[in-house]
């Protein structure tokens, strides 16, 4: 399936942060290119000078990097200025104005486009009239189309303001869509759209056609919301004598409530707001690989059973054949499922790396300690919780007893400590002594505890439950003998002794009040 001549692009406008729909478009383009050994281009469509910002651009680039969707050409790559690929740059649309000029000239020369001198007032009047009459066709009435081109050229030269409009021919415009199959539009439904504004700047549809041509794009893969632009863009390419690329339109993503996922109107799943942007999922601590798996399946399936894919498997298996024809519904449970699977397959060291930012952000450990003194504790914590995380930030709630002291016990822990007339106090004290000189090795510690329980003639549970209460303060947590490596032997012994003292005090207090 290799075809290194394939060139695809992701062309976000930096008028907002990267949303799920955009990221999935990027992913499908990337998979398509990587599978074939082709080129993935990132082009920033920043022509809306009012709404485009550097911050949005940074969000898009950062988020794509987080997802590992690396681009071969685009901003911040060698290819921007590089000798071999530089001919396709710049990759910011706002810097490409000069490249468009010769094409704009060509448009009117061929008669496939014409100058329009209609004033803004006339166009507004026309629109209002069409609305009032509920006209089936709403658009420009083509008044200037019949003007003599030589005459209009003169008027333009003399400085009269005009736009340039596409002269949409009669007939049909169709294409063989990589996903939707044969698509055809009646040209009668297509407006003689403006290609060049009166200030000389080209409009979106023209610029996309020119950029795709100049960047030698072979395949345009984008959201279904662009399908209605495609016949216009094909007509523009035809008007310029250019060969249009192949097109494939991906169905939209639906939120859990069944409506199109959008930033404007939030949707909820089990009371949880479903984010339409990508960055919040990263910030919540989902692994990028799991998120990629999740996004890939929002509109694509290999078969009716396979759900878990690595990045390499996605590259191998992705094809338009598996892209669904209608929108697919987002389900956060799937993301959690993939994230859990992904984390379980990671080494404790890698989990430790991934959870550290959450621990630092929660103020549980400093960045310096996380890389130094506390690193071993974090690795132990990560390993012990491997089965319990669906996102890296889940570690925070499981880590407080590791980095902070245990100052109170939850209800069940209290009960475990106070059971059997406070016998736990004695057991814990003896146990703290027995730990002297021991290493925090979970296997050896468990073995020792079993023989101690036998020696002291107590049930294993009578030893282990109070230990858990003493060391963690909560009744549910990771395997208890793993906890020693997380907190260290000295702190462990101190907590055991402190819990014993707490039991004594509580018993004294109850006795004196009864
Ligand atoms: N800049 C357009 C957008 O953000 C995409 C244009 C295209 O893919 O052709 O929706």
């Amino acid at each position: 399936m290799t075809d290194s001549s394939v060139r695809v692009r992701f062309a976000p406008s930096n008028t907002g942060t990267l949303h799920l729909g955009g990221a999935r478009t990027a992913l499908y383009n990337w998979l398509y290119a990587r599978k074939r050994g082709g080129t993935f281009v990132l082009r920033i469509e920043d022509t809306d000078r009012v709404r485009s910002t550097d911050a949005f651009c940074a969000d898009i680039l950062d988020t794509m990097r987080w997802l590992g969707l690396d681009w071969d050409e685009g901003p911040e790559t060698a290819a921007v200025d590089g000798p071999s690929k530089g001919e396709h740059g710049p990759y910011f649309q706002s810097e490409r104005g000069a490249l468009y000029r010769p094409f704009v000239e060509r448009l009117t020369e061929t008669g496939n486009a014409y100058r329009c001198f209609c004033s803004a007032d006339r166009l507004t009047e026309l629109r209002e009239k069409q609305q009032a009459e509920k006209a089936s066709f709403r658009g420009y009435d083509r008044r200037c189309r019949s003007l003599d081109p030589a005459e209009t050229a003169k008027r333009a030269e003399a400085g009269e303001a005009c736009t340039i409009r596409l002269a949409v021919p009669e007939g049909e415009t169709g294409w063989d869509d990589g996903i939707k199959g044969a698509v055809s539009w009646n040209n009668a439904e297509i407006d003689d759209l403006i290609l060049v504004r009166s200030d000389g700047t080209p409009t979106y549809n023209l610029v996309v056609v020119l950029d795709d041509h100049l960047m030698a794009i072979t395949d345009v893969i984008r959201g279904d919301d662009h399908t209605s632009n495609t016949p216009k863009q094909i007509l523009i390419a035809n008007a310029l004598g250019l060969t249009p690329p192949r097109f494939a339109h991906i169905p939209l993503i639906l939120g859990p409530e069944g409506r199109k996922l959008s930033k404007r109107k939030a949707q909820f799943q089990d009371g949880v707001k479903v984010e339409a942007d990508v960055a919040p999922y990263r910030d919540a601590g989902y692994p990028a690989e799991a998120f990629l798996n999740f996004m890939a399946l929002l509109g694509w399936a290999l078969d009716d059973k396979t759900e878990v894919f690595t990045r390499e498997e996605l590259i191998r298996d992705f094809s338009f054949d598996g892209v669904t024809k209608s929108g697919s519904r987002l389900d956060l449970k799937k993301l959690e499922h993939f994230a859990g699977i992904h984390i379980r397959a990671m080494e404790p060291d890698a989990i430790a790396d991934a959870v550290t930012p959450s621990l630092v952000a929660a103020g549980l450990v400093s960045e310096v300690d996380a890389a130094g003194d506390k690193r071993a504790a974090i690795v132990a914590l990560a390993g012990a919780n491997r089965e319990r995380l669906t996102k890296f930030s889940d570690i925070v709630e499981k880590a407080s007893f590791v980095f902070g002291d245990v100052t109170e016990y939850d209800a069940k822990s209290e009960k475990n400590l106070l059971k059997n007339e406070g016998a736990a106090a004695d057991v814990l004290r003896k146990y703290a002594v027995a730990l002297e000189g021991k290493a925090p090795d979970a296997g050896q510690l468990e073995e020792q505890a079993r023989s101690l329980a036998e020696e002291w003639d107590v049930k294993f549970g009578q030893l282990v439950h109070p230990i858990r209460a003493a060391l963690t303060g909560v009744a549910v947590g990771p395997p208890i003998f793993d906890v020693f490596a997380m907190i260290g032997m000295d702190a462990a012994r101190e907590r055991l002794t402190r819990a014993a003292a707490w039991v004594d005090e509580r018993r004294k207090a109850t006795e004196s009040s009864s």
Side-chain angles (χ1 to χ4, degrees):
M1 254 277 200
T2 57
D3 177 1
S4 58
S5 66
V6 157
R7 292 177 57 87
V8 296
R9 74 342 183 244
F10 175 49
S13 306
N14 55 332
T15 50
T17 43
L18 185 63
H19 54 90
L20 255 169
R24 188 196 50 165
T25 296
L27 170 62
Y28 286 7
N29 273 283
W30 184 85
L31 292 172
Y32 190 86
R34 290 291 171 265
K35 178 170 190 156
R36 291 165 178 77
T39 303
F40 177 53
V41 179
L42 175 61
R43 176 172 81 221
I44 304 292
E45 305 210 322
D46 59 344
T47 40
D48 183 337
R49 298 315 291 158
V50 180
R51 290 166 58 230
S52 304
T53 71
D54 290 345
F56 289 144
C57 182
D59 174 89
I60 294 169
L61 303 192
D62 285 353
T63 313
M64 286 185 59
R65 286 201 180 99
W66 173 64
L67 291 167
L69 301 178
D70 54 331
W71 52 97
D72 306 303
E73 293 177 31
E76 298 175 17
T77 62
V80 175
D81 306 309
S84 58
K85 290 175 168 175
E87 71 259 33
H88 296 302
Y91 295 94
F92 286 91
Q93 223 161 38
S94 60
E95 295 168 15
R96 298 176 59 80
L99 298 170
Y100 306 140
R101 249 163 251 143
F103 293 93
V104 169
E105 279 158 27
R106 199 195 294 176
L107 273 171
T108 44
E109 280 162 19
T110 56
N112 292 327
Y114 60 95
R115 294 187 183 82
C116 170
F117 298 89
C118 291
S119 67
D121 284 348
R122 171 166 195 270
L123 296 174
T124 309
E125 226 170 83
L126 183 64
R127 199 175 319 121
E128 282 168 1
K129 190 164 158 260
Q130 286 171 347
Q131 265 161 9
E133 289 171 357
K134 296 202 166 42
S136 58
F137 177 80
R138 310 225 179 144
Y140 181 55
D141 63 359
R142 300 181 170 176
R143 182 200 246 190
C144 291
R145 191 158 159 172
S146 52
L147 298 178
D148 171 25
E151 188 65 26
T152 63
K154 264 191 229 147
R155 285 170 69 180
E157 240 158 73
E160 198 175 333
C162 66
T163 59
I164 297 177
R165 288 182 182 275
L166 181 69
V168 174
E170 283 183 4
E172 301 254 319
T173 302
W175 69 94
D176 184 16
D177 194 283
I179 291 165
K180 297 161 86 84
V183 181
S184 178
W185 286 65
N186 187 344
N187 291 0
E189 291 167 17
I190 302 173
D191 191 17
D192 275 7
L193 63 144
I194 294 178
L195 303 178
V196 183
R197 300 182 189 91
S198 55
D199 64 3
T201 56
T203 57
Y204 158 74
N205 278 298
L206 175 58
V207 170
V208 166
V209 170
L210 296 180
D211 280 349
D212 287 341
H213 165 69
L214 291 166
M215 294 182 171
I217 298 302
T218 56
D219 296 77
V220 168
I221 305 164
R222 58 185 176 188
D224 205 11
D225 48 338
H226 281 290
T227 302
S228 62
N229 285 324
T230 300
K232 296 176 199 165
Q233 293 173 10
I234 291 173
L235 287 169
I236 294 169
N238 292 345
L240 285 161
L242 309 174
T243 311
R246 292 183 287 262
F247 289 94
H249 293 90
I250 318 165
L252 301 181
I253 299 174
L254 303 178
E257 295 172 25
R259 281 178 285 114
K260 181 188 163 211
L261 189 68
S262 114
K263 296 190 199 190
R264 274 183 289 275
K265 193 156 185 282
Q267 292 183 55
F268 294 83
Q269 180 172 354
D270 303 330
V272 178
K273 182 178 166 213
V274 173
E275 297 289 347
D277 271 338
V278 177
Y281 294 94
R282 174 194 61 199
D283 299 343
Y286 287 105
E289 300 296 319
F291 196 74
L292 214 65
N293 190 161
F294 169 68
M295 275 204 310
L297 295 190
L298 286 173
W300 170 81
L302 177 65
D303 50 36
D304 55 9
K305 50 185 190 298
T306 320
E307 285 217 306
V308 180
F309 294 87
T310 62
R311 185 179 292 267
E312 290 68 34
E313 286 164 348
L314 286 174
I315 294 173
R316 185 194 64 202
D317 293 337
F318 179 80
S319 88
F320 287 157
D321 296 341
V323 175
T324 53
K325 297 277 182 280
S326 56
S328 67
R329 202 182 270 228
L330 180 153
D331 179 3
L332 287 181
K333 293 266 171 328
K334 286 254 159 79
L335 174 58
E336 286 178 3
H337 176 63
F338 296 145
I341 291 176
H342 184 79
I343 294 173
R344 285 199 286 282
M346 287 170 76
E347 291 300 326
D349 250 323
I351 303 176
D353 290 344
V355 300
T356 296
S358 300
L359 294 172
V360 172
L364 288 172
V365 62
S366 73
E367 213 162 314
V368 175
D369 287 348
D373 282 2
K374 300 280 185 210
R375 172 69 187 180
I378 297 175
V379 174
L381 178 70
N385 283 293
R386 182 149 70 169
E387 310 284 325
R388 294 177 182 77
L389 303 178
T390 53
K391 49 187 183 310
F392 295 125
S393 58
D394 289 347
I395 202 76
V396 170
E397 64 191 41
K398 308 195 186 303
S400 56
F401 74 85
V402 178
F403 300 104
D405 214 349
V406 173
T407 51
E408 47 192 42
Y409 309 104
D410 72 5
K412 194 143 184 242
S413 301
E414 277 200 10
K415 226 171 102 197
N416 285 334
L417 286 170
L418 296 172
K419 243 193 249 178
N420 306 326
E421 277 115 45
D426 214 28
V427 169
L428 289 176
R429 244 181 240 117
K430 282 198 285 184
Y431 183 57
V433 174
L435 283 180
E436 225 174 270
K438 296 283 177 213
D441 177 298
Q444 285 173 15
L445 287 172
E446 175 166 358
E447 210 174 293
Q448 180 204 20
R450 286 195 188 278
S451 62
L452 287 176
E454 211 164 291
E455 194 181 310
W456 299 337
D457 199 21
V458 293
K459 285 201 201 105
F460 192 50
Q462 280 173 282
L463 174 59
V464 163
H465 295 315
I467 294 177
R468 178 180 293 285
L471 298 188
T472 71
V474 290
V476 187
I480 191 58
F481 294 104
D482 285 345
V483 168
F484 291 87
M486 296 179 210
I487 61 177
M489 295 309 285
D490 290 344
R493 293 178 63 212
E494 200 191 306
R495 288 182 194 187
L496 292 164
T497 324
R498 198 175 333 131
W502 179 89
V503 173
D504 287 345
E505 224 155 274
R506 269 302 275 281
R507 287 190 46 80
K508 245 189 264 157
T510 3
E511 270 161 29
S512 61
S513 68
S514 61

